Amino acid sequence: MVYELTENNLNYQCKQYRLRRRVHFFSETASTNDIAKQLCAENKGANAVVVADCQTAGRGRLDRSFVSPKGTGLYLSAVFTLQGNEKHLELLSSLAGLAVRDSLYNLYDLQVGVKWPNDVMYEGKKLCGILCEIVNLNNRPKFVVVGIGINTQRGAFPDDVAGIAGAISEFYTGEIDRNELCAEILHNLDRYIVRSGALLREDNDILTRIKACSISIGQRVRVVLPDEDFEARVLDILPNGALLVDDFTNGERIVSAGEIVHML
C-alpha cells in the first residue's frame, strides 16, 4: 500500500520530525527544481520544500529527463541557504545520496548503496535520481536546490532506462508512506548538509560514511566526460567529493564531473 501524497499529510509528517520547512505541494507541475529556483529568485526560498505527485518535465543530471508518473514516486526539491564560506560545494551530491540511502535503510531496511556521485542503487537497480543546482543572487551563490526523485512503485519507465530503473515496492512488501519518506529525507538532508558542517570543512566522519556506502570504490568503470571517456579503476573518494581513479594508461586522475558506468 502507498499512502496518498497530500499537503496536509506532508505538513503533519514535517511537524513530527520538527522540521522547519515551508511546504509547497503540487498534484502536478513541470519541475519541482524550477519552482524552487523561482522561489529563490524571489527571495522566498529559505526553508522551502517543493513536493509534487507528478512532474511533466522532470530533470536529472546531465540534462536527462526524469520520468515522474503520478502516484508512483516522490518528487521533491529542498532549498538550503548558503553561508558564503562553503569550501566543498562539490560534495553536495554525495551528501544528498547519503541522505537518501540512510532514509531507505531506516524506513524499509534496504541495504542500498550509492554509485558515484549520487545514484542510489539496490540489487543493480536505480531507485532514485538527484539533481543539485546552485542559485546565484547578486552574482554570488546564495541557495542550493537539492532535487530528489524516488520511484516508490514501478511505473512506465522509458525503454532506455527500463532495464536499470527500480522501485522500492519491488523489494519491500510493507506499507510505503510517501509523506513520511519525504520527512525522513528532509531530516537526513538537514543532518548532513547543515548540521554536520561538511561543506565548511574536511569532515572525516561524513567522508567515512560516504565511502562506506559507496559501491564504486574498487570497481572497474568507464569514465564519461564531455570531451573523452576512458576505462579506469576507482581508488578513492576525495574530501571534496571527487573521484580518484587509475586510468590504466596515465596513472592516477581526479574526476570531479561527468559520470561513471560500472563494468561487469
Side-chain angles (χ1 to χ4, degrees), residues 94-111:
S94 294
L95 294 174
L98 180 62
V100 174
R101 178 266 165 205
D102 282 2
S103 298
L104 298 184
Y105 175 75
N106 292 341
L107 292 180
Y108 314 120
D109 199 29
L110 294 179
Q111 291 280 4

Side-chain angles (χ1 to χ4, degrees), residues 24-45:
H24 302 260
F25 174 74
F26 299 85
S27 59
E28 180 179 304
T29 190
S31 163
T32 58
N33 261 34
D34 287 349
I35 292 177
K37 289 192 294 182
Q38 183 59 40
L39 289 171
C40 292
E42 297 170 356
N43 211 22
K44 299 177 182 177

Side-chain angles (χ1 to χ4, degrees), residues 216-221 232-236 243-246 260:
S216 296
I217 294 177
Q219 291 292 316
R220 186 184 183 102
V221 300
R233 187 171 302 279
V234 177
L235 302 177
D236 202 359
L243 277 189
L244 179 65
V245 304
D246 177 358
I260 61 171

